[in-house]
Amino acid sequence: WNTGMYGAVWRPFGLGVTFLDKPVRVSANAALDLAYVFIHSRTLPEPTHFLRPGINLKLDAELKLTDTFLVSGGWSSDLFIPQPLGGSPLEVLPLDQALWHLGGPYLMLHYRFPLELSL
């Protein structure tokens, strides 16, 4: 493998709106986020410690197949202040020379464990 990426994204605040609830729930969300990603590659002169604030935008559709099983899919994008690959988190470059977008389509299977509590 030529490239590896490992990291975490923290989203402390977000807002969402549901356009349709039944039979499929369709929603859009926006959130502020902070990302750290360690990127190493045989094609880069040195590893990158990507550390940036950003904005997450997401469009999601969720279908409830049973009371415990759901499937959802959509698109999620994180937009950041541009940082050069192989460069310092303190550097900013134009979009065509830097990492500024992480995103793509997704498909998730959900299983809800039935649980009853008496408080």
Side-chain angles (χ1 to χ4, degrees), residues 14-76:
L15 296 171
V17 61
T18 299
F19 300 112
L20 183 64
D21 199 29
K22 293 190 183 208
V24 176
R25 186 185 58 82
V26 178
S27 62
N29 300 286
L32 298 177
D33 58 25
L34 177 64
Y36 170 76
V37 181
F38 175 74
I39 305 167
H40 64 87
S41 176
R42 292 181 187 165
T43 60
L44 292 175
E46 60 186 68
T48 300
H49 293 277
F50 183 82
L51 179 63
R52 285 290 194 257
I55 297 172
N56 173 264
L57 302 172
K58 181 169 127 179
L59 182 61
D60 183 68
E62 181 181 86
L63 177 62
K64 182 178 178 181
L65 299 175
T66 69
D67 285 340
T68 58
F69 188 69
L70 300 90
V71 62
S72 67
W75 184 277
S76 181

